[in-house]
Amino acid sequence: ALVARRAPQVPVQSTISPTLLPVLAAAALSLPRMQADAASLDPITKKLLASPGLELSPAESRACLVRCIAHGEAVASRAAGKRIVVVLGNTGAGKSAFINYLHGCKFQYEEEDKMVVRDDSELEELMRIGHTNRSETFSPQVEDATDSLGSGFAYADCPGFLDNRGFEINVANAANVRHTVCAASSAVVVVVVNYYSLRADRGKGLHDLLRILLSLFGSVEQVEAHAPSVLLAISQAPVTHPETGAAMSIERYMRTLLSPSGLDTAT
Protein backbone atom coordinates (compact mmCIF):
# COMPACT_ATOMS: atom_id res chain seq x y z
CA ALA A 1 0.00 0.00 0.00
CA LEU A 2 2.85 2.37 0.79
CA VAL A 3 4.56 1.90 -2.57
CA ALA A 4 1.33 1.94 -4.58
CA ARG A 5 -0.26 4.98 -2.97
CA ARG A 6 2.85 7.14 -2.76
CA ALA A 7 1.33 9.07 0.13
CA PRO A 8 2.06 12.82 0.03
CA GLN A 9 5.36 13.66 1.64
CA VAL A 10 5.17 16.66 3.92
CA PRO A 11 8.15 18.35 5.61
CA VAL A 12 7.97 17.77 9.36
CA GLN A 13 8.80 20.54 11.83
CA SER A 14 10.60 19.71 15.07
CA THR A 15 8.42 20.42 18.14
CA ILE A 16 10.59 19.54 21.12
CA SER A 17 8.93 20.34 24.45
CA PRO A 18 10.15 23.62 26.00
CA THR A 19 10.92 21.79 29.25
CA LEU A 20 13.60 19.78 27.46
CA LEU A 21 15.24 22.72 25.68
CA PRO A 22 17.74 23.54 28.47
CA VAL A 23 18.80 19.89 28.65
CA LEU A 24 19.19 19.60 24.88
CA ALA A 25 20.93 22.96 24.64
CA ALA A 26 23.53 21.83 27.18
CA ALA A 27 23.97 18.62 25.27
CA ALA A 28 24.34 20.46 21.97
CA LEU A 29 27.36 22.40 23.30
CA SER A 30 29.27 19.14 23.48
CA LEU A 31 28.15 17.70 20.13
CA PRO A 32 31.08 18.80 17.93
CA ARG A 33 33.73 17.11 20.04
CA MET A 34 31.51 14.05 20.53
CA GLN A 35 30.77 13.49 16.82
CA ALA A 36 34.08 11.83 16.15
CA ASP A 37 33.53 8.98 18.55
CA ALA A 38 29.70 8.93 18.65
CA ALA A 39 29.58 5.45 17.19
CA SER A 40 31.35 3.92 20.20
CA LEU A 41 29.12 3.89 23.27
CA ASP A 42 30.55 4.34 26.73
CA PRO A 43 30.05 1.64 29.39
CA ILE A 44 27.42 3.69 31.26
CA THR A 45 25.21 4.00 28.17
CA LYS A 46 25.55 0.31 27.39
CA LYS A 47 24.67 -0.58 30.97
CA LEU A 48 21.64 1.74 30.89
CA LEU A 49 20.37 0.12 27.71
CA ALA A 50 20.67 -3.29 29.36
CA SER A 51 19.16 -2.12 32.69
CA PRO A 52 16.64 0.73 32.16
CA GLY A 53 16.05 1.14 35.90
CA LEU A 54 19.70 1.96 36.60
CA GLU A 55 20.08 5.15 38.66
CA LEU A 56 22.74 7.57 37.46
CA SER A 57 24.34 10.53 39.17
CA PRO A 58 23.57 13.97 37.64
CA ALA A 59 27.01 14.02 35.97
CA GLU A 60 26.57 10.50 34.59
CA SER A 61 23.05 11.33 33.40
CA ARG A 62 24.22 14.40 31.49
CA ALA A 63 27.21 12.58 29.98
CA CYS A 64 24.98 9.70 28.89
CA LEU A 65 22.43 12.06 27.32
CA VAL A 66 25.12 14.01 25.49
CA ARG A 67 26.67 10.82 24.10
CA CYS A 68 23.30 9.42 22.99
CA ILE A 69 22.26 12.61 21.21
CA ALA A 70 25.68 12.94 19.57
CA HIS A 71 25.28 9.41 18.25
CA GLY A 72 21.81 10.31 16.98
CA GLU A 73 23.13 13.39 15.19
CA ALA A 74 25.65 11.25 13.33
CA VAL A 75 22.94 8.80 12.31
CA ALA A 76 20.56 11.61 11.26
CA SER A 77 23.11 12.84 8.74
CA ARG A 78 22.39 9.72 6.65
CA ALA A 79 18.86 11.04 6.06
CA ALA A 80 20.01 14.49 4.92
CA GLY A 81 18.15 15.56 1.78
CA LYS A 82 16.43 12.18 1.42
CA ARG A 83 12.73 11.38 1.10
CA ILE A 84 12.37 9.05 4.05
CA VAL A 85 9.87 6.48 5.20
CA VAL A 86 9.80 6.76 9.00
CA VAL A 87 8.54 3.57 10.68
CA LEU A 88 7.32 3.95 14.27
CA GLY A 89 5.73 1.61 16.79
CA ASN A 90 6.28 -0.30 20.01
CA THR A 91 9.16 -2.73 20.36
CA GLY A 92 8.10 -6.05 18.86
CA ALA A 93 5.36 -4.56 16.66
CA GLY A 94 7.16 -5.66 13.48
CA LYS A 95 8.79 -2.44 12.27
CA SER A 96 12.00 -4.05 11.00
CA ALA A 97 10.14 -6.95 9.35
CA PHE A 98 7.83 -4.44 7.64
CA ILE A 99 10.78 -2.56 6.15
CA ASN A 100 12.50 -5.77 5.05
CA TYR A 101 9.25 -6.82 3.36
CA LEU A 102 9.02 -3.53 1.46
CA HIS A 103 12.68 -3.90 0.58
CA GLY A 104 11.85 -7.19 -1.18
CA CYS A 105 13.29 -9.76 1.23
CA LYS A 106 11.91 -13.30 1.35
CA PHE A 107 10.95 -14.72 4.73
CA GLN A 108 10.64 -18.03 6.52
CA TYR A 109 9.57 -19.14 10.00
CA GLU A 110 11.98 -20.77 12.40
CA GLU A 111 11.30 -22.40 15.75
CA GLU A 112 8.85 -20.64 18.06
CA ASP A 113 7.34 -18.85 15.04
CA LYS A 114 10.32 -16.52 14.65
CA MET A 115 10.20 -14.84 11.26
CA VAL A 116 13.61 -14.41 9.60
CA VAL A 117 14.93 -13.48 6.18
CA ARG A 118 15.66 -16.60 4.16
CA ASP A 119 19.25 -17.51 3.34
CA ASP A 120 18.36 -17.69 -0.36
CA SER A 121 16.67 -14.28 -0.42
CA GLU A 122 18.02 -12.25 -3.33
CA LEU A 123 18.00 -9.19 -1.11
CA GLU A 124 19.73 -9.47 2.25
CA GLU A 125 18.17 -8.32 5.50
CA LEU A 126 18.22 -4.53 5.53
CA MET A 127 17.05 -4.02 9.14
CA ARG A 128 17.94 -6.57 11.80
CA ILE A 129 14.79 -8.25 13.11
CA GLY A 130 14.78 -8.52 16.89
CA HIS A 131 12.97 -11.28 18.75
CA THR A 132 12.72 -9.76 22.22
CA ASN A 133 10.48 -7.11 23.76
CA ARG A 134 13.44 -4.90 24.66
CA SER A 135 14.75 -2.23 22.34
CA GLU A 136 18.53 -2.00 22.43
CA THR A 137 19.00 1.32 20.67
CA PHE A 138 18.03 4.98 21.01
CA SER A 139 18.30 6.33 17.46
CA PRO A 140 16.75 5.40 14.12
CA GLN A 141 18.58 3.06 11.77
CA VAL A 142 18.69 4.82 8.40
CA GLU A 143 19.25 2.77 5.23
CA ASP A 144 19.10 3.59 1.53
CA ALA A 145 15.85 2.54 -0.21
CA THR A 146 16.87 3.02 -3.83
CA ASP A 147 16.37 -0.66 -4.70
CA SER A 148 12.77 -0.72 -3.50
CA LEU A 149 11.39 2.83 -3.60
CA GLY A 150 13.67 4.62 -6.05
CA SER A 151 16.52 7.10 -6.07
CA GLY A 152 16.60 9.59 -3.20
CA PHE A 153 14.52 7.46 -0.79
CA ALA A 154 15.59 6.03 2.55
CA TYR A 155 14.05 4.02 5.40
CA ALA A 156 14.26 5.08 9.05
CA ASP A 157 13.61 2.21 11.47
CA CYS A 158 12.93 3.91 14.81
CA PRO A 159 13.39 2.51 18.33
CA GLY A 160 10.34 1.50 20.34
CA PHE A 161 8.54 4.81 20.73
CA LEU A 162 6.61 4.08 23.93
CA ASP A 163 9.24 2.06 25.73
CA ASN A 164 9.95 3.27 29.27
CA ARG A 165 13.72 2.89 29.40
CA GLY A 166 14.70 5.68 31.73
CA PHE A 167 14.88 9.46 31.36
CA GLU A 168 18.13 9.62 29.39
CA ILE A 169 17.20 7.01 26.77
CA ASN A 170 13.62 8.30 26.42
CA VAL A 171 14.81 11.87 25.81
CA ALA A 172 17.54 10.73 23.41
CA ASN A 173 15.05 8.57 21.52
CA ALA A 174 12.59 11.45 21.02
CA ALA A 175 15.32 13.93 20.08
CA ASN A 176 17.05 11.55 17.67
CA VAL A 177 13.85 10.64 15.81
CA ARG A 178 13.12 14.33 15.33
CA HIS A 179 16.71 15.04 14.23
CA THR A 180 16.40 12.32 11.58
CA VAL A 181 13.03 13.54 10.30
CA CYS A 182 14.15 17.16 10.18
CA ALA A 183 17.33 16.26 8.29
CA ALA A 184 15.25 14.74 5.47
CA SER A 185 13.68 16.74 2.66
CA SER A 186 10.28 15.11 3.29
CA ALA A 187 8.78 12.17 5.11
CA VAL A 188 6.05 9.57 5.11
CA VAL A 189 5.29 8.20 8.58
CA VAL A 190 4.18 4.58 9.02
CA VAL A 191 2.92 3.51 12.44
CA VAL A 192 3.00 -0.26 12.99
CA VAL A 193 0.50 -1.67 15.51
CA ASN A 194 0.38 -5.35 16.49
CA TYR A 195 -3.02 -6.98 15.94
CA TYR A 196 -2.90 -9.07 19.10
CA SER A 197 -2.17 -6.04 21.25
CA LEU A 198 -5.39 -4.54 19.87
CA ARG A 199 -7.34 -7.64 20.82
CA ALA A 200 -5.80 -7.97 24.27
CA ASP A 201 -6.58 -4.44 25.42
CA ARG A 202 -9.46 -2.64 23.70
CA GLY A 203 -8.67 1.02 23.20
CA LYS A 204 -4.93 0.52 23.75
CA GLY A 205 -4.15 0.44 20.03
CA LEU A 206 -5.82 3.77 19.40
CA HIS A 207 -4.33 5.27 22.56
CA ASP A 208 -0.82 4.15 21.58
CA LEU A 209 -1.30 5.44 18.04
CA LEU A 210 -2.27 8.87 19.34
CA ARG A 211 0.64 8.95 21.80
CA ILE A 212 3.13 8.07 19.06
CA LEU A 213 1.82 10.72 16.67
CA LEU A 214 1.64 13.40 19.35
CA SER A 215 5.18 12.57 20.47
CA LEU A 216 6.40 13.10 16.91
CA PHE A 217 4.31 16.06 15.76
CA GLY A 218 3.77 17.84 19.07
CA SER A 219 0.06 18.70 18.89
CA VAL A 220 -3.28 17.47 17.61
CA GLU A 221 -3.29 20.32 15.08
CA GLN A 222 0.06 19.21 13.65
CA VAL A 223 -1.11 15.58 13.50
CA GLU A 224 -4.20 16.66 11.53
CA ALA A 225 -2.11 18.84 9.21
CA HIS A 226 0.21 15.93 8.38
CA ALA A 227 -2.47 13.21 8.33
CA PRO A 228 -2.18 12.65 4.52
CA SER A 229 1.43 11.60 5.09
CA VAL A 230 0.69 9.11 7.88
CA LEU A 231 -0.05 5.46 7.12
CA LEU A 232 -1.08 2.68 9.48
CA ALA A 233 0.12 -0.93 9.30
CA ILE A 234 -1.41 -3.69 11.46
CA SER A 235 1.11 -6.49 11.90
CA GLN A 236 0.38 -10.21 12.45
CA ALA A 237 -3.20 -9.69 11.27
CA PRO A 238 -4.85 -13.07 10.51
CA VAL A 239 -6.44 -13.64 7.11
CA THR A 240 -9.34 -15.49 8.74
CA HIS A 241 -10.92 -15.20 12.18
CA PRO A 242 -9.09 -17.63 14.53
CA GLU A 243 -12.37 -18.90 16.02
CA THR A 244 -15.06 -18.67 13.32
CA GLY A 245 -12.89 -19.05 10.24
CA ALA A 246 -14.67 -16.09 8.61
CA ALA A 247 -12.62 -13.89 6.28
CA MET A 248 -11.16 -10.83 7.99
CA SER A 249 -11.65 -7.51 6.22
CA ILE A 250 -9.96 -4.13 6.39
CA GLU A 251 -13.19 -2.72 7.80
CA ARG A 252 -13.13 -5.24 10.66
CA TYR A 253 -9.56 -4.34 11.56
CA MET A 254 -10.43 -0.66 11.54
CA ARG A 255 -13.41 -1.22 13.86
CA THR A 256 -11.11 -3.03 16.28
CA LEU A 257 -8.48 -0.31 16.13
CA LEU A 258 -10.91 2.60 16.48
CA SER A 259 -13.02 1.07 19.24
CA PRO A 260 -13.39 3.78 21.91
CA SER A 261 -13.87 1.27 24.72
CA GLY A 262 -11.13 1.54 27.30
CA LEU A 263 -10.29 5.16 26.45
CA ASP A 264 -10.59 8.02 28.90
CA THR A 265 -12.62 11.14 28.12
CA ALA A 266 -9.57 13.27 27.32
CA THR A 267 -8.32 10.80 24.68
Side-chain angles (χ1 to χ4, degrees):
L2 173 66
V3 178
R5 287 176 53 188
R6 291 289 186 181
Q9 297 205 341
V10 181
V12 179
Q13 299 287 329
S14 178
T15 52
I16 295 175
S17 170
T19 59
L20 295 180
L21 289 178
V23 178
L24 299 182
L29 295 176
S30 302
L31 287 179
R33 64 182 174 80
M34 299 291 289
Q35 289 288 356
D37 61 346
S40 58
L41 300 180
D42 61 289
I44 294 177
T45 304
K46 291 180 180 179
K47 187 180 294 186
L48 188 60
L49 285 171
S51 304
L54 182 68
E55 293 188 9
L56 303 179
S57 69
E60 289 175 331
S61 177
R62 181 183 179 279
C64 178
L65 184 58
V66 168
R67 178 63 63 92
C68 291
I69 293 178
H71 177 84
E73 284 282 307
V75 172
S77 65
R78 303 173 193 166
K82 297 287 186 70
R83 303 168 67 185
I84 63 171
V85 177
V86 181
V87 183
L88 302 171
N90 292 343
T91 298
K95 301 183 299 294
S96 301
F98 175 77
I99 293 177
N100 286 326
Y101 176 78
L102 287 184
H103 184 57
C105 296
K106 295 181 180 180
F107 293 89
Q108 68 182 28
Y109 280 101
E110 290 188 341
E111 71 281 356
E112 299 180 1
D113 289 335
K114 292 180 179 179
M115 189 172 68
V116 298
V117 175
R118 288 166 47 173
D119 293 335
D120 62 349
S121 176
E122 292 184 9
L123 294 175
E124 296 182 356
E125 182 179 63
L126 188 65
M127 304 291 185
R128 189 177 71 85
I129 299 176
H131 296 291
T132 69
N133 290 324
R134 187 182 71 190
S135 179
E136 297 179 351
T137 185
F138 46 80
S139 64
Q141 179 182 348
V142 180
E143 300 292 348
D144 184 77
T146 299
D147 292 340
S148 50
L149 299 182
S151 177
F153 281 87
Y155 295 116
D157 185 3
C158 299
F161 221 73
L162 300 182
D163 296 351
N164 184 12
R165 297 179 291 157
F167 169 78
E168 296 82 8
I169 300 300
N170 290 343
V171 171
N173 184 13
N176 291 339
V177 169
R178 290 190 175 96
H179 285 157
T180 301
V181 172
C182 292
S185 63
S186 61
V188 164
V189 176
V190 181
V191 182
V192 181
V193 179
N194 182 278
Y195 171 78
Y196 293 100
S197 71
L198 299 181
R199 297 293 299 173
D201 190 351
R202 287 298 183 93
K204 184 177 184 300
L206 181 57
H207 190 270
D208 287 354
L209 174 61
L210 292 173
R211 286 180 62 195
I212 289 171
L213 293 178
L214 288 173
S215 296
L216 179 63
F217 293 109
S219 68
V220 172
E221 292 73 21
Q222 285 296 312
V223 172
E224 291 175 342
H226 294 91
S229 296
V230 178
L231 299 175
L232 174 66
I234 300 179
S235 62
Q236 297 186 11
V239 177
T240 59
H241 194 281
E243 296 176 1
T244 66
M248 298 288 287
S249 64
I250 295 295
E251 290 74 19
R252 187 162 188 165
Y253 290 128
M254 292 305 296
R255 286 197 302 270
T256 301
L257 175 70
L258 299 177
S259 171
S261 61
L263 296 178
D264 55 34
T265 303
T267 305

